Amino acid sequence: MEQTRPKPLTAKKPHSQAGEAQTQQGVHDAAARGEAATDDESAGRHTRGDCYVSLPRGEGWGIGAFDAVAHGTPVVATGWGGLLEFLDPSAPGPVRSTLVPVEHHAFASYSPDQRWVEPDVDHAAELLREVYGDAE
């Protein structure tokens, strides 16, 4: 059975390529110096895209998602951990996830009794389609 691929999602917000390149260069320069991005650089990231996506298996706070919410950018993120403290469950909604054993062979610091969440990627795609439809 042949699988059909969903329509690709693209940014709808107009932006200046020169301004974007300048902001990206500033972010790269700050990262190269080991510095945090400025407030303007952070805001620039959130004004260029239509949605912030984060599908961690465990997240303490999620500063990127928090910044996106603060800038009014929709967030599609794993519905687990610290993200639930500030994400609006209805807009567009946290991604469903399942608690599963940690794949402890990946890192020696994990033990077989620990758990993390596995985000439902199909649900994330569904939410992204909703965000894309709202942007049209």
Side-chain angles (χ1 to χ4, degrees), residues 25-45:
Q25 185 60 47
V27 170
H28 293 300
D29 289 347
R33 292 188 307 268
E35 298 173 358
T38 67
D39 288 345
D40 288 341
E41 290 165 344
S42 180
R45 285 186 223 134

Side-chain angles (χ1 to χ4, degrees), residues 11-15 19-20 23-24 27 37-54 62-76 83 86-87 131:
K12 295 277 188 184
K13 293 183 180 177
H15 62 274
E20 180 176 338
T23 300
Q24 286 178 348
V27 170
T38 67
D39 288 345
D40 288 341
E41 290 165 344
S42 180
R45 285 186 223 134
H46 296 295
T47 58
R48 285 193 308 275
D50 291 316
C51 183
Y52 183 90
V53 180
S54 178
I63 193 69
F66 183 77
D67 282 348
V69 168
H71 286 92
T73 302
V75 174
V76 171
L83 297 167
F86 58 84
L87 288 179
V131 170

Side-chain angles (χ1 to χ4, degrees), residues 84-97:
L84 295 177
E85 293 297 318
F86 58 84
L87 288 179
D88 180 348
S90 65
V95 175
R96 290 187 297 259
S97 59

